[in-house]
């Protein structure tokens, strides 16, 4: 056996049990998962709310939204020019 190869160890059932333990999932940040009001819960269910949160955190979704809006406006402008 060469020095770079490790000896294959038989699986220990206790090691497998340690690997399969449930993960500790805690909420991200200090915010509570329980909304403070019905209206807040209603707003947070909206996909636009999630998009705005994502755009606030990262530049990539912001750039993608800008490109999509420009493409949609250009397409509508093109259709209006073709129809006129």
């Amino acid at each position: 056996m060469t020095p770079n190869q490790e000896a294959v160890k038989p699986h220990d059932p206790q090691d497998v049990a340690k690997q399969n333990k449930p993960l500790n999932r805690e909420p991200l940040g200090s915010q509570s998962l329980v909304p403070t009001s019905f209206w807040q819960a209603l707003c947070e269910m909206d996909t636009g709310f999630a998009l705005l949160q994502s755009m606030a955190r990262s530049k990539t979704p912001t750039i993608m939204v800008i490109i999509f809006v420009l493409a949609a406006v250009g397409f509508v402008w093109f259709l209006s020019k073709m129809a006129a």
Side-chain angles (χ1 to χ4, degrees):
M1 181 167 25
T2 63
N4 291 339
Q5 294 176 340
E6 294 182 15
V8 177
K9 298 178 186 177
H11 290 289
D12 185 15
Q14 291 176 351
D15 288 342
V16 174
K18 288 178 188 174
Q19 291 173 357
N20 292 335
K21 68 180 179 180
L23 297 175
N24 230 355
R25 300 197 187 263
E26 296 178 4
L28 296 175
S30 61
Q31 296 178 357
S32 165
L33 292 178
V34 179
T36 57
S37 70
F38 170 75
W39 296 109
Q40 183 179 357
L42 190 64
C43 289
E44 288 180 358
M45 282 191 275
D46 185 28
T47 55
F49 182 81
L51 177 64
L52 290 175
Q53 279 186 333
S54 179
M55 288 173 64
R57 277 186 267 140
S58 177
K59 289 187 290 186
T60 304
T62 305
I63 293 170
M64 290 172 59
V65 167
I66 290 171
I67 290 172
F68 175 76
V69 168
L70 289 175
V73 168
F75 183 66
V76 169
W77 178 76
F78 170 75
L79 288 180
S80 68
K81 289 292 182 183
M82 286 291 125

